[in-house]
């Protein structure tokens, strides 16, 4: 306590230099905490988006993740309904689960044959009510409003397409899509095969009869062709209820979203319906490891004959790891840079103090203070600087984060089509706050060690000659 009291008194003796050093440390602490809170918030925001769309875990047919995109129908799960019930009612998994829902992916050709245009698409069949429940997941309390799918309350033959699909199929005007220029060039190329043309013409004739019988139905229609499990093409006439912007052009140009029953009918026809994935959304992300272990036990025992595997959302969405890794690297670089600045600032302050207090050091040594005592005194001064700087930095960072969170700022995260609130998560991040404070104190103490060592090695007689 005596050493601490002396260290604090010595710092107060030269307030200007101590204040300059503290200012550098406080700015460094604030910068680390604000950027760390921003980076952590981005990570949690990305996680929330991926979990809302694709869940925490997915059960798939073995090798579907590697090869299934080329032929989804070949990797369907025949007993998916029984698997869903088994997972929902499992004694270990039930307390962890929020939603368990099947999905079906399919590849096909979407066409507006009245306009003579078509393009390849990737379709996703979903259970709308269960997908809407997934979109309510908000473990981290983000201030964004959950949205319901555009398919909510729609007919069985309804479909939602990407804005790129709408642009190619010349549906921007009837769907009232903004910023969607139409090409003035007429499509040219080889004609479609006769069997496909006849099939689409038959479907178009059926659509015309339906629209005539129900004149209030003004929704534009498309034909979606997909190969069934036997290799023959199936076609369905679908009412387009909306064109959605996904924020990624590649998705906008191929995305088609439809009801699960309609997708199953298109792919499997009169055969038993299947699903290509069973999506599991948990109540807490921290339970992923426990849930995955239990699922692997089920797959190795009760579901051994089904030939299934489990993937988490990080595997299913590689961009998550890439984006979080990039921000982690930036945060690490900033932390090292600020640490170096603090190291040299405190080191310079302590070196100047040693030069100015040579007589004091000699007097203390003459009074019987050992070299270790001199060394402890200067290291303690650096530690006190670090402690005060860390405390002030944490307080200022919390205040600045509060102002940012209530300023109404927005930003556009990767893969989003709409801006979201810009927030900085500092309050509640105990690990980051304590780590920053302790790190700053250690750097300050380390910076003071070399000047303290030099002070401790001074010769008593030489030091007293400066009187």
């Amino acid at each position: 306590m005596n050493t601490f009291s002396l260290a604090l008194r010595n710092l107060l003796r030269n307030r200007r230099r101590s204040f300059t050093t503290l200012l550098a440390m406080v700015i460094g602490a604030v910068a680390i905490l604000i950027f760390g809170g921003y980076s952590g918030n981005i990570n949690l925001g990305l996680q929330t988006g991926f979990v809302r769309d694709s869940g925490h875990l997915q059960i798939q047919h073995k090798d579907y993740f590697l090869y299934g995109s080329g032929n989804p129908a070949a990797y369907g799960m025949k007993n998916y309904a029984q698997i869903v019930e088994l997972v929902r009612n499992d004694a270990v998994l039930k307390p962890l689960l929020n939603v368990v829902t099947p999905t079906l992916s399919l590849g096909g050709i979407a066409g507006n044959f009245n306009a003579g245009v078509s393009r390849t698409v990737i379709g996703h069949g979903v259970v709308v009510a269960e997908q809407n429940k997934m979109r309510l997941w908000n473990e981290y309390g983000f201030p964004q409003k959950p949205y319901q799918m555009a398919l909510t309350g729609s007919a069985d033959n309804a479909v939602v397409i990407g804005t790129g699909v709408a642009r190619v199929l010349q549906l921007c005007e009837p769907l009232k899509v903004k910023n969607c220029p139409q090409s003035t060039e007429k499509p040219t190329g080889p004609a479609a095969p006769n069997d496909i043309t006849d099939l689409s013409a038959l479907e178009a004739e059926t659509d015309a009869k339906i629209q005539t019988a129900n004149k209030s139905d003004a929704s534009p229609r498309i034909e979606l062709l997909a190969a069934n499990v036997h290799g023959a093409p199936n076609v369905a006439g679908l009412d387009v209820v909306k064109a959605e912007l996904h924020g990624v052009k590649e998705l906008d140009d191929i995305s088609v979203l439809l009801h699960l029953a309609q997708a199953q009918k298109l792919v499997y026809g009169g055969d038993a319906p299947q699903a290509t994935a069973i999506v599991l959304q948990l109540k807490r992300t921290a339970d992923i490891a426990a849930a995955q272990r239990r699922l692997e036990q089920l797959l190795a025992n009760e579901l051994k004959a089904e030939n299934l595997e489990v993937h988490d959302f990080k595997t299913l969405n590689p961009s998550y790891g890439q984006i979080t890794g990039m921000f982690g690297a930036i945060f690490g670089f900033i932390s090292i840079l600020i640490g170096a600045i603090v190291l040299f600032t405190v080191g310079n302050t302590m070196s100047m103090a040693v030069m100015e207090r040579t007589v004091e050091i000699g007097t203390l040594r003459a009074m019987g203070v050992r070299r270790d005592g001199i060394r402890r005194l200067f290291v303690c001064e650096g530690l006190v600087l670090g402690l005060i700087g860390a405390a002030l930095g944490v307080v200022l960072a919390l205040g600045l984060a509060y102002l940012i969170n209530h300023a109404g700022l927005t930003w556009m995260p990767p893969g989003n089509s709409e801006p979201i609130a810009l927030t900085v998560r500092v309050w509640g991040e105990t690990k980051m706050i304590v780590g920053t404070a302790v790190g700053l104190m250690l750097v300050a103490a380390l910076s003071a060690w070399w000047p303290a060592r030099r002070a401790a090695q001074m010769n008593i007689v030489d030091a007293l000659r400066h009187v």
Side-chain angles (χ1 to χ4, degrees):
M1 291 302 297
N2 188 42
T3 302
F4 180 84
S5 176
L6 287 173
L8 183 61
R9 187 187 66 182
N10 291 332
L11 292 175
L12 293 175
R13 273 184 2 191
N14 196 327
R15 292 182 176 84
R16 180 177 298 178
R17 185 168 58 225
S18 298
F19 175 77
T20 304
T21 306
L22 274 177
L23 186 61
M25 299 177 72
V26 169
I27 293 174
V30 170
I32 291 176
L33 290 173
I34 291 297
F35 187 80
Y38 175 66
S39 176
N41 209 56
I42 288 176
N43 295 350
L44 297 179
L46 288 171
Q47 182 188 129
T48 299
F50 286 128
V51 169
R52 285 178 174 178
D53 291 337
S54 58
H56 287 97
L57 299 165
Q58 286 193 16
I59 302 174
Q60 300 175 351
H61 192 283
K62 189 173 178 60
D63 291 335
Y64 170 77
F65 180 72
L66 298 175
Y67 310 109
S69 59
N71 185 13
Y75 292 88
M77 293 179 284
K78 297 180 180 179
N79 300 319
Y80 78 91
Q82 291 83 350
I83 298 172
V84 168
E85 288 304 312
L86 175 65
V87 172
R88 283 176 178 169
N89 298 316
D90 183 78
V92 177
L93 291 172
K94 190 172 183 178
L96 310 179
L97 295 172
N98 185 45
V99 178
V100 182
T101 183
T103 63
L104 175 64
S105 296
L106 59 97
I109 299 175
N112 179 5
F113 293 105
N114 291 330
V117 290
S118 63
R119 71 149 299 128
T120 55
V121 294
I122 299 295
H124 298 279
V126 297
V127 181
V128 176
E130 294 171 353
Q131 291 287 329
N132 282 336
K133 186 177 179 181
M134 287 180 62
R135 280 158 174 74
L136 297 175
W137 190 86
N138 193 9
E139 180 182 356
Y140 305 111
F142 282 94
Q144 58 194 82
K145 296 181 180 178
Y147 63 93
Q148 288 192 328
M149 302 182 70
L151 286 175
T152 304
S154 61
D156 294 341
N157 68 334
V159 65
V160 175
I161 62 176
T163 55
V165 178
R167 183 170 57 250
V168 173
L169 299 186
Q170 300 183 10
L171 295 175
C172 290
E173 184 175 347
L175 292 174
K176 298 179 174 60
V177 181
K178 297 179 179 179
N179 303 319
C180 184
Q182 294 292 282
S183 175
T184 57
E185 298 290 334
K186 291 187 177 181
T188 59
N194 292 333
D195 54 350
I196 300 297
T197 303
D198 294 340
L199 193 61
S200 61
L202 179 63
E203 185 65 27
E205 183 180 347
T206 304
D207 293 345
K209 292 179 180 179
I210 294 174
Q211 290 183 350
T212 301
N214 185 11
K215 294 183 180 180
S216 63
D217 184 9
S219 299
R221 293 175 69 85
I222 63 171
E223 287 77 36
L224 181 59
L225 287 80
N228 61 20
V229 290
H230 306 293
N234 280 342
V235 62
L238 305 173
D239 292 331
V240 183
V241 295
K242 187 179 180 181
E244 285 189 333
L245 180 65
H246 296 279
V248 179
K249 185 177 185 299
E250 289 75 8
L251 289 177
D252 290 329
D253 289 346
I254 62 172
S255 176
V256 172
L257 192 66
L258 60 162
H259 292 277
L260 177 62
Q262 179 65 65
Q264 291 172 330
K265 181 180 178 182
L266 190 61
V267 175
Y268 300 103
D271 296 339
Q274 302 180 27
T276 52
I278 296 174
V279 178
L280 285 75
Q281 187 185 74
L282 309 178
K283 295 176 181 177
R284 297 171 60 249
T285 302
D287 295 329
I288 286 182
Q292 192 163 5
R293 282 195 301 269
R294 179 54 183 164
L295 285 173
E296 289 173 351
Q297 292 175 357
L298 293 177
L299 299 186
N301 296 289
E302 289 90 335
L303 302 175
K304 185 176 181 179
E306 300 295 334
N307 197 24
L308 305 175
E309 60 186 5
V310 182
H311 296 290
D312 62 17
F313 75 96
K314 296 179 183 178
T315 303
L316 297 170
N317 303 282
S319 60
Y320 174 79
Q322 295 168 353
I323 296 172
T324 56
M326 179 190 69
F327 277 98
I330 296 174
F331 179 66
F333 174 78
I334 291 177
S335 300
I336 293 173
L337 180 62
I338 291 175
I341 293 173
V342 171
L343 185 71
F344 285 105
T345 303
V346 176
N348 180 67
T349 299
M350 292 295 103
S351 296
M352 294 295 294
V354 169
M355 294 175 61
E356 293 176 357
R357 292 159 58 188
T358 303
V359 176
E360 177 187 341
I361 295 170
T363 303
L364 290 173
R365 292 284 288 117
M367 292 172 62
V369 178
R370 295 177 179 271
R371 296 181 187 275
D372 288 343
I374 299 296
R375 189 181 299 114
R376 281 197 302 270
L377 177 61
F378 281 91
V379 171
C380 188
E381 289 182 20
L383 194 61
V384 170
L385 275 174
L387 177 62
I388 298 174
L392 292 175
V394 169
V395 172
L396 289 178
L398 289 171
L400 184 58
Y402 178 85
L403 294 176
I404 294 174
N405 295 341
H406 292 79
L409 303 175
T410 61
W411 74 294
M412 186 78 74
N416 274 40
S417 57
E418 296 181 358
I420 64 172
L422 174 62
T423 56
V424 176
R425 194 177 296 264
V426 178
W427 179 260
E429 296 297 319
T430 306
K431 184 178 179 181
M432 181 181 68
I433 293 175
V434 173
T436 301
V438 172
L440 202 62
M441 291 168 59
L442 291 177
V443 169
L446 180 64
S447 304
W449 180 83
W450 183 257
R453 179 177 177 273
R454 191 177 66 180
Q457 291 177 341
M458 282 187 178
N459 183 276
I460 299 175
V461 176
D462 291 337
L464 292 175
R465 284 178 180 171
H466 289 76
V467 176

